[in-house]
Amino acid sequence: MTQTPPSSRGPATDGPLADSLLKFGRFLRPGEFSPDLRTVTLEGGRQGDVFYRDRWSHDKVVRSTHGVNCTGSCSWKVYVKDGIITWETQETDYPSVGPDSPEYEPRGCPRGAAFSWYTYSPTRVRYPYLRGVLLEHYRAAKARVGGDPVLAWEALVTDPVASRAYKRARGKGGLVRASWDETLEIVAAAHVHTIKAHGPDRVAGFSPIPAMSMVSHGVGARFINLIGGTMQSFYDWYADLPVASPQVFGDQTDVPESADWWNSTYLMMWGSNVPVTRTPDAHFMTEARYRGQKVITVSPDYADNTKFADEWLSPHPGTDAALAMAMGHVILSEFLVERRVPRFEHYLKTYSDAPYLVSLDEREASDGRRTYVPGKFVTAADLGGAEAAVDNAAFKTVLLGRDGSVVVPNGALGHRFGDADEGKWNLDLEGVDPQLSIRDGAAWGGEVAELELPRFDVAPEAGAEHEGGSGVVRRGVPVARVAGRLVTTVFDLLLAQYGVAREGLPGEWPTSYADASTPGTPGWQEEITGVPAEQAERIGREFADNAERSGGRSMILMGAGTNHWFHSDTIYRTFLALTTMTGCQGVNGGGWAHYVGQEKVRPVTGYSQYGTASDWSRPGRQMIGTAFWYLATDQWRYDGLPADQLASPLAEGLFAGRTTADCLVESAKRGWMPSFPTFDRNPLDLVDDARAAGKEPAEYVVDSLNDGSLRYACEDPDSPENFPRVLNVWRANILGSSGKGNEYFLKHLLGTDSSVRAAEAPPERRPESIDWHDDAPEGKLDLLVTADFRMTSTTLFSDVVLPAATWYEKHDLSSTDMHPFVHSFNPAIAPPWQTKTDFEIFHLIAKRFSEYARTHLGTRSDLVAAPLMHDTPDAMATPHGTVENDLPLVPGVTMPKLVVVERDYTAIADKLATLGPLAVKAGMVTKGIVFDPTPEVAELGRLNGVATAGAGAGQPLLDTDVKVCEAILALSGTTNGRLSVQGFRQLEKRTGQRIAQLAEDHEGGRIRFADVQARPVSVITSPEWSGSEHGGRRYTAFAINVEHLKPWHTLTGRQHFFLDHDWMRELGENLPIYRPPLDLARLFGDSPVVGSTAPSGDPAASGHAEVAVRYLTPHSKWSIHSEYQDNLFMLSLSRGGPTIWMSTQDAEKIGVRDNEWIESYNRNGVVVARAIVSHRMPEGTVYMYHAKDRTVDVPRTETSGQRGGIHNSLTRVLLKPSHLIGGYAQLAFAFNYLGPTGNQRDEVTVIRRRSQEVEY
Amino acid sequence: MKVMAQMSMVMNLDKCIGCHTCSVTCKQAWTNRSGVEYVWFNNVETRPGIGYPRRYEDQEKWGGGWVRTKSGRLKLRSGGRLKKLATIFSNPKLPEIHDYYEPWTYEYDMLLNAPAGEHTPVAKPKSLLTGEDMKISWSANWDDNLGGSAETMADDPILQHMSEHVASEYEQTYMFYLPRICEHCLNPSCVASCPSGAMYKRVEDGIVLVDQDQCRGWRMCVSGCPYKKVYFNHKTGKAEKCTLCYPRLEVGLPTVCSETCVGRLRYLGLVLYDADKVAEAASIEDEHALLDAQRSVFLDPHDPAVVQAAREAGIPEDWIDAAQRSPIHKLINEYKVALPLHPEYRTMPMVWYIPPLSPVVDVVASSGNDGEDAKTLFAAIAKLRIPLEYLAGLFTAGDTRPVEASLRKLAAMRSYMRGINLGEGKDERIADAVGMTGDTLEEMYRLLAIAKYEERYVIPAAHTEQARELDELACSLDYDGGPGMGGAGPFGSSSGQQVPVAVENFHALKNRQTADRPSTSGRVNLLNWDGNGAPDGLFPPKSGEE
């Protein structure tokens, strides 16, 4: 014991008496007191603190991650003591980004840090559960039919009283614990019966985002695909798919990894709240500022990321495209017209469609003047003579050389397929210097033409509301004549569209940046967005100036804030125009950076092979989720959105008298988009019927369609033979999270109570191509099966709840676009109680299914109607994108392809557990590249073992999750250098360019599962993606296109400003354009005008002030979708339940104070929540953060008397026709690549303060 | 000169994204157990805002920290220690649970177990204190992302002391985040407040701890700490606080909050200081001089005289080396960009902060003077959204000059590095304008931006060979009730039952794992409690029970 006597009194004590008392106390302690007794330091003897040392102890630390759709893909340390998970912290051992960059460590966020709470939480699903009413009726039925489960299920669902009883009980409690045995029996029986009675395409699977746990997703998808069920897409359904990406790039989405933000010197975060939605990556942004990056945020509220911005632009919600157009106006004016930045010019000529020729169509204007509208891309087919006689001439686009020569450059879609063009699919202009503008041509004689261009930003005139806010601007372009056509370039069209004046051109042009009288200028956008003109001008100029000075390192980081709108495709096209016109795409530190949804499965070929089961049968049934839910939940009955109200004032009437639902039916029948269930007959019976009639099935179907004896299911979705009957949900919460139009799901799909408040569409607004039944069906679905580890709305409403293992209880793989690594899930503990991994669950179901199939199904032939596919010659089905009517039905050209697939239903379990022979026989196809995995399959046989009996005898085993991980890694170019090099060599042959060096140094490299268990591993550069990691560089999209002249997968092979499909013109969206948020009050009589305080007339609102507001659902700080929103840690750090953020002004209007209960209601449903009142919010807009489920702290509403809804109770599905286009160049279907999005941002709701006494 | 080593932290608020990962990982590791449900050793406040517990900065109300008397001495603000002893049984200046928040849970098990009924099952909120239904109306983070709400903004103690009026209007919105842990002060008023001598500052690294054996639960430390970072465990009846994760630091690992900080904004390292100068520096009259006074207590670890004195004080060689490589020393004393939180409390806090830059106000942006020039591409400091005066209210007792100097250095670093990044050369004038050189700016840039793990955390491991030696010095009989104590001591018996609390969470979890029903009897981790019935273990058992 050491101590210093308190003799020398310092300045810091408070008196002798206190000192003497303290002196006494000091003898009780071993330690050193400061002379003035002010403080005490202590050495040794610290047994009193052993508690904390003990608490820190643990037996082992296991690496795993979180299979949640956050795009984070973070590696975590899970601490285990005595077989119990205690907590988690982040791993910090990512491969280095290099000495001059911040590292990826530590990746994570508070939500992930709270995950282990679920393991033992009271909301954990520990056993299988069944709906009690269902179980009773099932047991009774089983006894009646003599014990056959399939017959029992048939008896149950065909008994109207019994089936009504259990469907009505959905979502109202009464789940009972059941045995695995009986649960599997019911699930398998329902599947077998449904396939037998209605067809395999009446069984649906929903599980999103394979990248967040590939095996768990893949095993269920594989099961669904093997039985011929339909897998629902999610990326488009979530509205995370930026449709502009396939439109402009011909690609689903490909973006830079987050470490590449560091390389940017000018970063605009546009509708993406990085600290909240990209939490693990946000530091690259904060740190890049120190390297001199300027940061701009564009957000209607003072979002979290604004804290880091040098400037904040706050446009009114949904008006972002006007701001981007104005920036484009400044950039085009100053950097491409007043002077031309050489780099920008070169970039536009080489990598964009800007120099390509577009024909002009003559048109008589309303005043009788002769004007023009943009027509179609000029192609070799238009040139006549020898040029028109070449293969695929209609898909080879044309430009003019500086000398006036007509050139058909390499790299167009027409060069992509066919032997004659081998080696020509590249971006090499071969010495041609294109005319960017017709005025550049030496031979241009000053000829001009006046165009009419649409605009959508004007206020509709009284009495002409039908026209909406659209109008026409007239602007001239320089023209030339080619092959008898009046033509101009896309670049000239762009300048006209953006209002960039040039000498000598007719039309209406702005006189200055401040001129607000005509579209395109900063002054014009100020009136729309509220952003000061000067600021828009300056930021636009800075963006381009930075791109010039940095060689293209200006970046727009964009997200759901601008992507979940009805017109997001046009919003995004105005952003992409900025990054393309400044030469930023394909440059490290530049270009678009869109992060919504963890869509990037880096080992995509192996994953697809496994998940689609294309090693056993092709094609699978992959459905556009939005269309499926739109029809299945009967939202179409309430919609009646006239398609022509979306049309351009220059439209030619293609949409006249039709709803957007009619467009959906047309798209399905033309084979543009997939449609499942496809026909109004069981596709198994169709083949039998055809054979009975002595015809080939395809021929039989065409004949039957022609004579009207067979129809598409989407023409009559409310007829019982067309209902989806069984829905399997795993890794998802469709009823508590993604289900736009939630209340319609409850009412029509499930047949239980709902709060739908809308009236059905009146007769004059109903789709003409869909049959109307006066009594809408309720309870279409016979069985809803959900596997989850926690209770959500989906499990609450399910008939069967299967207890799933958590992410800390299984093996799996994770990847993301945010970083270039693949890493692993590993079990920290075995699945507790009776929980099982998704992998095990689907194998158990498959075994039981195969068993029952022996009696009830056997082997059948299934007719699959497959759409016209992207990255195949199907994309050349529609020359010029000209939609012609009354064409003969030709499968694969004017209608879907019709393919017969043989299904041995008794062998499903065997096939699920083995790698089938087609992988080798037919190859594995990704984005048009065919990978041959012969050596890999042989090696997998030795590694995993081969099946010794059954349908898979001799094939490599996939009977454990680890073996599947090995297979995925072995069968992908990103994780297997040999396959990557093989793919690149193929690409070299096609493009005539040298590219394979990007992977050759990894040709012998194989990433094995053990490698990714040890630590995250960087992937190998592969033709599966458009960027390069070669030499340790940061991944950025389209680097291979820019550096190795590989074409984009588009019509011209370049990035597209211009889209010439008939429907694009009909919508007035040939070019980037500003379209305001949907005016719901105009389009639908039952929606209020934003800002209105008129009484809604709702009885429960009587006597309360009300206000109509724009209703936005941004991603939440305290949850990842609905995951974690029920987690006690997150609830303790937030307001502890559903909330709606509103401005102080709106709160005043309805007399509500912070944390008071409010109700929010519109045609779609009712929400009850507490208000958060903050001046951070703009007036007229409220936020209910995304995916507030009804499970926690949701009272009953005054408005409906029911439990309050989820955030999506106030939204619904609206279809945009441009998303339904297919069969034409980059506008062709691929799963999760293109399809109608489930946008939800244009919604309006009424809000009022409610009684503060709430009832649960 | 008496050289001592202090383990310290700097948080770069300019990088803080307000994500609260630090709070969650800390809580999971340390306070996820009954008795401390409401306790967050690490919390993150949105400012403006009133903090956790409410208005803790209002020392006129709570009486935390030290004040300087007219005679130049320091005394505890809550009154002299005599007063403390006199009022020991009725400590009046203690935040109540509602000043923190009433912890709650939900009736989660209803989601699975609700019988068939009319409505969709729901988990309604239940108080963790009473087991009753409740409306949630306050939490540890109620102000989150508000930028100050109409309901509470007027109560922000910093705003109240500002001369400048701050409007709560959309166009004027600003906010930033302030993560807080225990300050592990050089002059800790909590330690001085403890009548039981249970609080101490570790001699080798300065970590302030509560001896769980010695604590009698008087809670004078709770009152004495101006940061309200000592908490009362209502189950054990003892005080608990942030331990700076000493079990991790001792083996060279960063604290949980640091290692898990995804903003990568926390730095850990040693500073050497002269223990003899602490009291004098803390007693300086001018509050604005406290910052420099505290800096002057720190010693230059490269100074041979300091090194010699450190060796003589028994500080091991690798600790001296660590002090020389310390990022803390660089940020506080070399670059002078880090500032202490509320130096006017005179506790000499050892968690320092780099203040946040913020966007410009639109007024400035639209004035058109922001252009191409590197100097103006980034906004002028005086025109940032966060009022300098607000930051000064937090970090410099109201003196805006050090805050501005710090922010100007950050801005200069950005301008200087932009030139390099764009290949446009190094402009030494930029560095010169903030009293630095280009080389120093680049060094600072590497530390703040590239910020590799090894550079953020420079942590020498504990010397176990010495620890054993120290253990022998301690009297092994000196524990509560042991023969060395001679009874309960002069201040009464302990207020709570001794509870073998180690890995209590583990036992609770284990029970639950093996139980059929989600809630278990016996010791319940309230954070997992489903809200059914009265939980056991909420209060300390009466004597004779257990």
Side-chain angles (χ1 to χ4, degrees), chain B residues 423-497:
Chain B
E424 292 171 357
K426 304 182 177 188
D427 186 348
E428 198 67 33
R429 287 170 308 169
I430 297 172
D432 198 47
V434 292
M436 295 174 83
T437 66
D439 288 346
T440 329
L441 271 185
E442 280 187 63
E443 274 176 35
M444 184 168 88
Y445 152 78
R446 291 198 77 85
L447 186 59
L448 294 182
I450 295 177
K452 302 279 185 190
Y453 187 97
E454 307 73 30
E455 281 157 33
R456 301 206 300 281
Y457 315 124
V458 180
I459 304 163
H463 282 260
T464 46
E465 77 281 4
Q466 285 186 4
R468 273 194 299 279
E469 199 178 310
L470 294 172
D471 274 345
E472 285 168 22
L473 288 172
C475 174
S476 60
L477 302 177
D478 284 355
Y479 60 87
D480 192 6
M485 287 297 293
F491 302 118
S493 60
S494 58
S495 60
Q497 190 79 16

Side-chain angles (χ1 to χ4, degrees), chain A residues 9-11 13-14 17 21-22 24 29 37-38 40-43 45-46 48-49 51-53 55-56 77 81-82 87-88 90 98-103 105-106 108-110 113 116-117 120 127 129 171-172 174 262 265 283 287 289-294 300 302 304 306-312 314 534 538 545-546 549 553 791 796 833 1117-1118 1126 1128 1131 1133-1136 1153-1155 1170 1174-1176 1190-1193 1196 1201 1203, chain B residues 12-16 18-19 21 28-30 33 73-74 80-82 85 104 106 108 111-112 114-117 119-120 122-123 125 135-137 139 141-142 144-148 151 168 170 173 177 187 191-192 197 199-201 203-204 210-214 240 246 248 250 259-262 264 359-360 365-366 370 372 377-378 385 413-414 417-418 421 424 445-446 449 452 456 470-471 474 490 501 505-506 512-513 515-516 527-528:
Chain A
R9 282 174 49 82
T13 57
D14 54 338
L17 183 51
L21 277 161
L22 264 290
F24 180 69
R29 300 283 303 135
L37 299 171
R38 186 181 34 79
V40 53
T41 50
L42 184 62
E43 295 178 16
R46 293 167 182 155
D49 305 314
F51 161 61
Y52 296 105
R53 237 181 272 280
R55 189 166 163 104
W56 185 251
K77 293 182 265 203
K81 185 167 176 78
D82 253 19
W87 57 73
E88 57 274 87
Q90 296 103 305
D100 297 321
S101 167
E103 303 288 5
E105 60 82 19
C109 74
S116 60
W117 178 85
Y120 310 113
Y127 307 99
Y129 283 85
K172 298 178 188 169
W262 171 254
T265 46
H283 71 87
E287 287 156 343
R289 293 178 308 144
Y290 294 169
R291 201 184 171 197
Q293 177 186 84
K294 181 161 181 174
Y302 192 91
D304 309 50
T306 308
K307 170 182 182 278
F308 300 98
D310 292 294
E311 288 192 48
W312 170 38
S314 55
E534 177 282 327
R538 183 167 39 78
D545 174 67
N546 181 79
R549 283 159 66 182
R553 293 195 281 145
M791 288 301 287
L796 282 173
W833 300 286
K1117 179 168 178 174
W1118 304 109
D1126 53 354
L1128 191 51
L1131 288 160
L1133 282 171
S1134 59
R1135 295 272 179 126
R1153 294 181 61 174
D1154 192 58
N1155 206 41
R1170 284 173 285 147
S1174 170
H1175 59 275
R1176 187 193 110 177
R1190 53 170 67 74
T1191 50
V1192 169
D1193 199 8
R1196 287 160 55 195
R1203 175 83 50 230
Chain B
N12 181 357
L13 297 187
D14 187 52
K15 287 172 78 174
C16 183
C19 72
T21 307
Q28 287 263 47
W30 299 118
R33 39 193 172 93
R73 294 177 180 284
L74 287 186
R81 278 181 258 179
L82 182 56
L85 292 172
W104 68 85
Y106 301 86
Y108 284 112
L111 297 175
L112 260 170
H119 295 289
T120 309
V122 72
K135 181 186 178 188
I136 297 157
S137 55
S139 74
N141 186 33
W142 197 254
D144 190 71
N145 272 7
L146 289 173
E151 292 294 318
S168 56
Y170 172 70
T173 315
Y177 307 104
N187 186 30
V191 173
M199 293 196 75
Y200 63 98
K201 195 167 171 61
V203 71
E204 68 271 35
V210 183
D211 185 326
Q212 293 294 305
D213 289 348
Q214 296 295 330
E240 289 199 45
Y246 67 84
R248 288 175 56 98
E250 286 171 359
E259 191 176 64
T260 65
C261 173
V262 292
R264 304 170 89 246
V360 291
S366 56
D370 199 345
E372 298 306 296
L377 187 62
F378 306 118
R385 282 180 169 266
M413 171 179 70
R414 295 184 63 194
M417 291 307 301
R418 183 171 175 85
N421 195 353
E424 292 171 357
Y445 152 78
R446 291 198 77 85
K452 302 279 185 190
R456 301 206 300 281
L470 294 172
D471 274 345
V501 279
N505 184 41
F506 155 68
R512 214 167 295 113
Q513 165 108 10
D516 254 13
L527 276 175
N528 288 307

Side-chain angles (χ1 to χ4, degrees), chain A residues 379-421:
Chain A
T379 68
D382 303 322
L383 300 179
E387 275 150 323
V390 300
D391 286 352
N392 304 321
F395 296 91
K396 291 175 176 168
T397 43
V398 174
L399 51 71
L400 290 177
R402 208 60 174 245
D403 57 1
S405 57
V406 177
V407 182
V408 183
N410 290 345
L413 177 61
H415 298 101
R416 192 174 178 190
F417 307 98
D419 297 339
D421 291 305

